[in-house]
Amino acid sequence: MASMLCARVISAVRRPLLVTAVRCGGSGGPVVDPMKGKVVSDNVTMPDTLGHSVGAERYELLAKLAGNEDPFEMNVKMRGAGSKEEPNLVPSIYEKRLVGCICEEDATCINWMHLYKGEPKRCECGHWFQLSELKSVDYTQQ
């Protein structure tokens, strides 16, 4: 009986503290109109696909509207010579990236490796790879 009473008191005390913490944590940033880009005209009451999308999906749709068909740099790229002096450059906005190398034309497996910024790395087939900086584009401001 005492343990049930303690549990109820603790949950009653915790709940207002969590709500207060959430309320305070959201302030301080710029105010963004949540409907910006969601409705095309005043006659339309229901948003289209772009209006319903959020997060990575919205970023991808905005990039495609701006003409960038590969905003995450995920398409297959052809290797160059890949020597130590002139490695194959792999664009990335992060400090590291997972890269797959198809060493032979008719290979049935992919050799995966982690590339780190500033460190060229050699694949098992002898080709060298290195990360190059990719500028992040904010498609919401266009």
Side-chain angles (χ1 to χ4, degrees), residues 4 21 43 49 53 60 62 69 107 109-110 114-115 131 133 136:
M4 286 178 52
N43 300 331
T49 305
S53 62
E60 184 177 11
L62 289 171
E69 291 296 320
C109 63
I110 300 173
H114 285 278
L115 292 181
L131 283 185
E133 187 174 348
S136 179

Side-chain angles (χ1 to χ4, degrees), residues 101-113:
C101 179
I102 303 172
C103 296
E104 298 172 6
E105 186 176 332
D106 54 347
T108 58
C109 63
I110 300 173
N111 291 329
W112 296 99
M113 60 189 142

Side-chain angles (χ1 to χ4, degrees), residues 34-54:
M35 293 305 292
K36 182 178 180 183
K38 301 279 185 173
V39 179
V40 178
S41 70
D42 295 336
N43 300 331
V44 178
T45 58
M46 188 72 171
D48 58 353
T49 305
L50 181 62
H52 280 289
S53 62
V54 294

Side-chain angles (χ1 to χ4, degrees), residues 124-139:
E124 295 173 6
C125 62
H127 285 88
W128 285 82
F129 296 90
Q130 184 175 5
L131 283 185
S132 65
E133 187 174 348
L134 178 67
K135 297 290 183 189
S136 179
V137 180
D138 187 11
Y139 293 107

Side-chain angles (χ1 to χ4, degrees), residues 15-108:
R15 193 172 297 131
L17 292 175
L18 291 175
V19 172
T20 305
V22 170
R23 272 193 211 137
C24 294
S27 63
V31 178
V32 178
D33 179 17
M35 293 305 292
K36 182 178 180 183
K38 301 279 185 173
V39 179
V40 178
S41 70
D42 295 336
N43 300 331
V44 178
T45 58
M46 188 72 171
D48 58 353
T49 305
L50 181 62
H52 280 289
S53 62
V54 294
E57 181 185 8
R58 184 169 172 82
Y59 179 81
E60 184 177 11
L61 290 173
L62 289 171
K64 286 186 179 183
L65 285 174
N68 185 359
E69 291 296 320
D70 187 23
F72 300 115
E73 295 288 333
M74 296 288 288
N75 289 346
V76 176
K77 308 244 185 317
M78 296 299 291
R79 285 187 316 229
S83 64
K84 188 171 184 176
E85 294 77 28
E86 294 181 30
N88 294 303
L89 297 178
V90 179
S92 178
I93 59 174
Y94 301 108
E95 298 292 318
K96 69 177 183 177
R97 183 168 179 175
L98 182 66
V99 177
C101 179
I102 303 172
C103 296
E104 298 172 6
E105 186 176 332
D106 54 347
T108 58

